[in-house]
Amino acid sequence: MKLSSKGRYAVTAMLDLAFHSKKGPVPLAEISERQDISLSYLEQLFSKLRRTNLVASVRGPGGGYTLNREPENLFVGEIIQAVNENIDATKCSGKSDCKGGEKCLTHNLWENLSDRISDFLNQISLQELMQKRDVKEVVGRQSCYQSSVIVTDLEKTTIDTKLNVL
Amino acid sequence: MKLSSKGRYAVTAMLDLAFHSKKGPVPLAEISERQDISLSYLEQLFSKLRRTNLVASVRGPGGGYTLNREPENLFVGEIIQAVNENIDATKCSGKSDCKGGEKCLTHNLWENLSDRISDFLNQISLQELMQKRDVKEVVGRQSCYQSSVIVTDLEKTTIDTKLNVL
DNA sequence: TATTTAACCAAGTAAATTAGTCAAGTATTG
DNA sequence: CAATACTTGACTAATTTACTTGGTTAAATA
């Protein structure tokens, strides 16, 4: 999982699409103007988004792009992954020329982390972003806020505090 | 928050350091060899890690780097942020030449997301990574799995486990 | 004190990625 | 058929990444 301004462009464009595609396809030219992203760069990004079936396209006059899924089922992680080439997670990816030991250990640890980030981003839907709540206040789907059952007040405070952060 | 192989190098090196710095400073040459990262690149990364006080250095023979904090209080987000230049989050950062409206809306939505990712990464400690558990089994705090109010003992155990992990 | 070790520092560089342009297509509508 | 608008590919400048080279400085040890 890679996170750069490229992914930001993609998510931004998809958000714009989510806001405007209810009344039919949205041409890239509109997104380009509204979000100030060059048309041809958008073309490249949407080419990838289409290949991964996140959007559908309609050609000809009146055409454009639409989301291929409901915003609540379309996740940020998917968008970011779609536009980024796979980053070689381990350098020795799978191969046995890693001489084992130390190196592969940390490689695995990174993969572990990478998976977690990926999982995290795949829990954030476009829908959720569209609601634009203050994250610090609204914990959202990632919360286990009310999962504690019988805890002491002290413990409860600690848990709440921790959860507030996320 | 940017996430690239540069951050991976930094986290990898810090993990290596965490594993080896208990008996005194670790020279970069060792990390370089173990993790197969060029020495001079490590120097650049550690220069930044030192400036942000994540590591401390000892010069001269027998010298090297040590973690400047306990692994349980040193978080992945800090490491990644330390080695990356700040990415311009909104392009119109703060300025009022954004013409308001649509563009700034999605800009804000991205910032929102960016903050969440940042918060997430700042909850994952080196300590935790060192324990190298299988993430796919342990969903961690990000799950709402059992947010029901009345849970069985078995479920409670699960919750505890999950909380322990993150 | 001389030598070794290893951090610290700066400049430069090849490769990759980013962000964008340009110029052709092709499909659809009217 | 003509206009519209998506699609594709090749090409490019700017930036970033990962690394190299060639030092200087501080500390330990012989």
Side-chain angles (χ1 to χ4, degrees):
Chain A
M1 179 62 60
K2 208 160 95 180
L3 200 62
S4 61
S5 50
K6 192 176 191 173
R8 190 185 71 231
Y9 279 116
V11 173
T12 300
M14 289 291 276
L15 270 171
D16 185 282
L17 194 53
F19 277 119
H20 293 93
S21 67
K22 280 156 195 169
K23 300 165 193 162
V26 179
L28 292 188
E30 279 185 22
I31 301 179
S32 169
E33 180 155 359
R34 273 195 298 262
Q35 303 304 331
D36 197 26
I37 305 171
S38 96
L39 177 59
S40 41
Y41 197 42
L42 278 179
E43 284 170 353
Q44 286 177 43
L45 298 178
F46 274 78
S47 165
K48 291 178 178 177
L49 292 171
R50 206 183 67 94
R51 258 174 271 163
T52 49
N53 288 313
L54 297 182
V55 297
S57 64
V58 179
R59 301 177 79 152
Y65 287 92
T66 50
L67 292 184
N68 213 5
R69 252 187 263 160
E70 297 303 310
E72 54 265 37
N73 288 323
L74 221 165
F75 300 95
V76 170
E78 300 178 286
I79 298 171
I80 292 173
Q81 206 138 33
V83 299
N84 284 307
E85 319 303 328
N86 278 18
I87 193 171
D88 57 329
T90 52
K91 208 173 198 176
C92 71
S93 46
K95 288 182 189 170
S96 53
D97 65 344
C98 186
K99 291 159 192 165
E102 305 267 17
K103 209 193 297 182
C104 252
L105 172 62
T106 41
H107 285 177
N108 289 340
L109 294 183
W110 176 266
E111 274 211 324
N112 175 321
L113 176 61
S114 189
D115 284 345
R116 290 173 67 168
I117 297 169
S118 197
D119 287 345
F120 174 67
L121 290 177
N122 278 320
Q123 287 181 337
I124 303 176
S125 68
L126 274 189
Q127 168 75 41
E128 199 183 326
L129 278 187
M130 289 170 76
Q131 286 165 211
K132 186 185 155 44
R133 309 204 211 162
D134 189 347
V135 194
K136 297 291 180 188
E137 281 171 23
V138 183
V139 195
R141 292 256 280 327
Q142 289 67 46
S143 164
C144 298
Y145 221 79
Q146 336 73 327
S147 52
S148 50
V149 188
I150 305 164
V151 285
T152 67
D153 281 352
L154 177 59
E155 277 170 339
K156 189 163 191 318
T157 307
T158 314
I159 293 173
D160 285 346
T161 307
K162 288 188 181 176
L163 289 175
N164 273 338
V165 181
L166 189 63
Chain B
M1 178 63 59
K2 206 160 94 181
L3 200 63
S4 62
S5 50
K6 192 175 191 174
R8 189 185 71 231
Y9 280 115
V11 172
T12 300
M14 289 291 276
L15 270 170
D16 185 283
L17 194 54
F19 276 118
H20 295 92
S21 68
K22 281 157 193 168
K23 299 165 193 163
V26 178
L28 292 188
E30 280 185 21
I31 301 180
S32 170
E33 180 155 0
R34 273 195 298 262
Q35 303 304 331
D36 196 27
I37 305 171
S38 96
L39 176 59
S40 42
Y41 195 43
L42 278 178
E43 282 174 354
Q44 286 176 42
L45 297 178
F46 273 79
S47 166
K48 292 179 178 177
L49 293 171
R50 206 182 67 94
R51 258 174 270 161
T52 49
N53 287 315
L54 297 182
V55 298
S57 64
V58 180
R59 301 177 76 152
Y65 286 93
T66 51
L67 292 183
N68 214 3
R69 253 187 262 160
E70 298 302 311
E72 54 265 35
N73 288 324
L74 222 163
F75 299 95
V76 170
E78 299 179 287
I79 299 171
I80 291 174
Q81 206 139 34
V83 298
N84 284 307
E85 318 304 329
N86 279 17
I87 193 172
D88 56 332
T90 51
K91 209 172 198 175
C92 70
S93 47
K95 288 181 187 171
S96 52
D97 64 345
C98 187
K99 293 160 194 166
E102 306 267 16
K103 208 192 300 180
C104 252
L105 172 62
T106 40
H107 285 176
N108 289 340
L109 295 184
W110 174 266
E111 272 209 326
N112 175 320
L113 177 61
S114 189
D115 284 346
R116 289 172 67 169
I117 297 168
S118 195
D119 287 345
F120 174 68
L121 291 176
N122 277 321
Q123 287 182 336
I124 302 175
S125 69
L126 274 189
Q127 168 75 40
E128 196 186 326
L129 279 186
M130 290 170 77
Q131 286 165 212
K132 184 184 156 44
R133 309 209 205 166
D134 189 348
V135 195
K136 293 295 177 188
E137 277 173 25
V138 185
V139 192
R141 294 257 278 327
Q142 288 67 48
S143 163
C144 298
Y145 226 76
Q146 46 325 49
S147 29
S148 47
V149 183
I150 305 165
V151 288
T152 65
D153 282 351
L154 176 60
E155 283 170 342
K156 190 168 188 314
T157 307
T158 314
I159 293 172
D160 286 346
T161 308
K162 288 186 178 180
L163 288 174
N164 275 338
V165 180
L166 191 60

